[in-house]
Amino acid sequence: MTQISQRIQQMAASATLAMSARSAELREAGVDVINLSVGEPDFNTPHHIKEAAKQAIDDNYTFYTPVPGYMSLRRAIADYFNRLDSLSLDPAQIVVSTGAKQALCNVILATVNPGDEVIIPTPAWVSYMEMVKLAEGVPVTVPAAIEQDFKITPDQLRSAITPRTRMIMLCSPSNPSGSIYTRAELQSLVDVLADYPDILILSDEIYRHINYTGTYTSLATFPAVADRVVVINGVSKAYAMTGWRIGFMAGPLSVAKAVTKLQGQYTSGTSSIAQKAAEAAYTGPQECVEEMRVAFERRRNLVYHLACEIPGLKVREPQGAFYLFPEVSAYFGLHTPDGQTIADANDLAMYLLTDGHVATVSGDAFGLPGYLRLSYATSDDRLTEAFARIAAALSRLK
Ligand code: PMP
Ligand code: GLU
């Protein structure tokens, strides 16, 4: 039998993508499934961005690009974020990759040695733990449940740090909780990290534009740690461009160089056409971003209200991204109409799929058992229908 490496055998498959694939299978079999599992905007990519991609083909942007991305795109990204956060990023500090996913994985592979500890507050996006393991690092999870609004405290951070700690991964707004760290909360974490100059800070800010608080603070703006913050962002969420696969890292030059070396050996850089489209996203009109944000906020209000009406769900109003992360342990130990026991959130997600035809993802995949993640990046009508189905299915548990 063909050997599969231990590296891959030990890796968990992406639970978000697996649940989405399962719901697609059911749909193909004729079942009307509402898919609240995968997190991706349901909007089409804005017109002017698509036009830029068509123009790029006609203009023969069809050759290999520089490994870290076209200089014009990296300059556009630097200008955009320098304006937004009053930074002084140089394009040389930016490496464009095949989605924020690859940007994250690149930085981890380029900076983590075997045995190095990486602090990951949980709940955390499903891929973080697996990426760290791929680099033979050790994920050190720090749980932050609903009572603390899914945000870690400075004391928790300090007690998780050991002499082996090499990195902390933060995600704000968070996938899966939607929580956002305030400037003051970030300052209190920065105050701790200031005592540990060897810890790299990987700040996943991919949802920063899907924010309902009206204010945002990037970790790159704290002078005490700015020289060891690597920001991850991209066009997937803000510009509804998940399929274009453009994300980037922005951080210390040494990390950018190491990531470029790595990327030069295994992708040569990402698509030329998608890069020109992303350039149009960062340099073109920004109203589309706000229009989509407003639609997500309306849906956030809708799903939060609908979820609050279901007595067994414990919810907190998400501040950003497009996920609701209710605590669902009130249903554990109950029985389905055909006599099966709901032991945990995995069972509950499976029951909601098979009985209610609504696809969600168990919180276990995000490192925090007892929760479900529901993506509300779908139409208001479908969301209303989904919550009616969820309420009905849950009421059948005895
Ligand atoms: N970080 C987080 C927290 C995400 O939710 C996602 C989307 N799954 C990504 C990174 C990766 O985004 P991209 O589509 O740009 O690879
Ligand atoms: N951000 C999405 C999610 O969390 C995309 C799927 C993935 O890449 O995991 O569902």
Side-chain angles (χ1 to χ4, degrees), residues 99-101 104 125 128 171 175 204 206-207 236-237 245 323:
K101 204 175 225 177
L104 280 162
W125 182 43
Y128 289 179
C171 181
N175 176 3
D204 184 346
I206 187 93
Y207 293 101
S236 290
K237 316 289 168 172
R245 311 306 305 126
Y323 307 104

Side-chain angles (χ1 to χ4, degrees), residues 192-271:
V192 175
L193 291 166
D195 293 339
Y196 301 93
D198 295 334
I199 299 181
L200 192 70
I201 303 165
L202 188 50
S203 182
D204 184 346
E205 305 185 357
I206 187 93
Y207 293 101
R208 76 173 281 173
H209 288 99
I210 305 173
N211 178 339
Y212 318 121
T213 65
T215 142
Y216 186 76
T217 305
S218 167
L219 267 167
T221 60
F222 290 88
V225 292
D227 61 346
R228 54 194 166 101
V229 171
V230 180
V231 170
I232 301 292
N233 210 324
V235 293
S236 290
K237 316 289 168 172
Y239 299 94
M241 292 177 68
T242 47
W244 299 78
R245 311 306 305 126
I246 297 283
F248 64 86
M249 62 135 283
L253 201 54
S254 57
V255 178
K257 281 187 179 159
V259 161
T260 302
K261 188 173 171 190
L262 171 65
Q263 185 159 288
Q265 290 290 18
Y266 85 115
T267 65
S268 307
T270 191
S271 154

Side-chain angles (χ1 to χ4, degrees), residues 68-83 89-94 96 279 282-283:
Y70 286 126
M71 180 47 92
S72 55
L73 171 58
R74 286 183 287 148
R75 194 171 295 287
I77 293 170
D79 288 349
Y80 181 95
F81 286 91
N82 286 344
R83 239 187 350 260
L89 278 174
D90 186 275
Q93 294 176 261
I94 294 170
V96 178
E279 195 178 314
Y282 284 115
T283 55

